Every structure is written in structure tokens, then in C-alpha cells.
Amino acid sequence: AIRRIDHVGIAVPDLDEALAFYRDKFGLISEHEEVNEEQGVREAMLVPADGDPTSGRVQLLAPLRPDSAIGKFLDRSGPGIQQMAYTVDDIEKTSEELRAKGLRLLYDAPRRGTAGSRINFVHPKDAGGVLVELVEPGPGH
Ligand code: MC0
């Protein structure tokens, strides 16, 4: 089952510029940065500096390569919201429930996401034009 909004993912051409923008304009600061080669992204998770620690995160996603998911998204749509991510307790179970409801999941088995999480995606054409990510947090998160 879906527990909460995990993060909203925003495609950006330049991670360092976007980090400075979100910090200076909105007071959102980076709690974690990582390169995910398989996904072709350099990414950062942002939280409100003095806000509710349980807040859903903002994830900035910059492409490592032009032919990556984020590279293609930037080409087609320009910078902006690329994905909506929900926290789930059991990604295999939730994926199976959604498949049974007729939604296409992008991966047969979960792949590695931020900070040891396991992730899968619902195809945007099956979710009202929204790329929906399912996130089962890593141990200790
Ligand atoms: C494509 N479409 C989207 C979309 N991307 N619609 C809404 N949101 C998006 N992000 C639309 C296109 O406009 C097109 O519509 C249709 O979907 C099919 O597009 P396509 O030509 O198949 O597009 P591709 O080749 O760009 O692939 C789209 C797809 C891909 C969602 C399959 O981006 C993908 O595999 N995404 C999952 C992985 C990912 O996003 N990784 C980056 C984040 P029309 O109407 O023109 O036919 S990594 C991450 O998120 C991590 C590390 C984490 O959170 O832990």
C-alpha cells in the first residue's frame, strides 16, 4: 500500500545551479547526493532547512548522458516535474497489486534507487500522464 508522498522529482540540466536556486530562493537544502549510473542521473534529495523532518522530499535529477531518461525528458519537455514518487512498505506486493489492476510497471523486478531504496515505475500512459515511482526505503530509512 502507498504510505505517503516520498518525493517529487524535477529534471534539471545542471545540478549545482539547481541546488543553489532551491537553497537561496526556497530554503530547501540537500540531505543526500548520489550518482546512479544505471539510471543515468546525478541527483540530490532536498528538505526544508527548518521544516517538518517528515516532509516529502524534492529530488533534483540531472542527466549523466543525453540518451538517459532525464536527458530525453529535458530534450522533449525542458526542465520541470518528471515524476511523482510514493513510499510503499513492500514493493513486490504493491507492484503485483497494480499489475493486477492492469497498470504496466516498467521493470519486472525492482531496481536500485536513492540511498539503498528499491524502486519501480508505473508507465505514465497508465497513470494519467504522470510517471509514478514506487519507493521501498532502504534499511534504516
Ligand atoms: C515520457 N512521457 C512522460 C514522461 N516521460 N509523461 C510523463 N512524465 C514523464 N516523465 C511520455 C512521452 O511524452 C510520450 O508521450 C510517452 O510517455 C512515451 O514516451 P517514450 O518515447 O517511450 O519516452 P521515453 O523513451 O523518454 O521513456 C519514458 C519512460 C522512461 C517513462 C519509459 O523515462 C523511463 O524508463 N523512466 C523510468 C526511469 C527514470 O525516469 N529514471 C530517472 C529517474 P506521447 O504522448 O508523446 O507518446 S532515476 C530515479 O528516480 C531514482 C534514482 C530514485 O528516485 O531513486
Side-chain angles (χ1 to χ4, degrees):
I2 285 172
R3 292 302 178 197
R4 59 175 179 268
I5 293 174
D6 192 277
H7 63 266
V8 175
I10 300 176
V12 302
D14 184 299
L15 190 66
D16 294 323
E17 266 178 34
L19 281 167
F21 177 87
Y22 275 84
R23 186 193 60 224
D24 297 345
K25 308 296 189 209
F26 297 129
L28 297 182
I29 53 165
S30 172
E31 62 170 1
H32 178 80
E33 285 168 44
E34 164 172 347
V35 168
N36 186 324
E37 279 291 342
E38 181 184 33
Q39 292 291 338
V41 292
R42 194 175 152 225
E43 51 129 299
M45 280 292 186
L46 309 187
V47 282
D50 298 310
D52 180 340
T54 67
S55 163
R57 276 29 179 175
V58 169
Q59 182 184 45
L60 301 178
L61 296 158
L64 291 179
R65 315 176 275 275
D67 66 344
S68 60
I70 299 302
K72 286 190 208 161
F73 183 90
L74 286 171
D75 261 358
R76 182 165 43 216
S77 312
I81 295 180
Q82 187 257 352
Q83 56 169 260
M84 171 79 210
Y86 297 110
T87 312
V88 303
D89 320 301
D90 181 337
I91 193 158
E92 273 89 0
K93 189 159 182 273
T94 304
S95 300
E96 217 28 69
E97 287 167 0
L98 293 175
R99 283 189 194 100
K101 291 176 183 169
L103 305 191
R104 278 170 296 166
L105 280 282
L106 293 185
Y107 309 140
D108 291 339
R111 295 192 185 168
R112 194 179 64 76
T114 309
S117 60
R118 298 194 307 139
I119 61 174
N120 206 336
F121 294 86
V122 179
H123 197 285
K125 291 293 167 192
D126 290 355
V130 178
L131 175 60
V132 171
E133 181 180 352
L134 307 174
V135 182
E136 183 188 296
H141 286 83

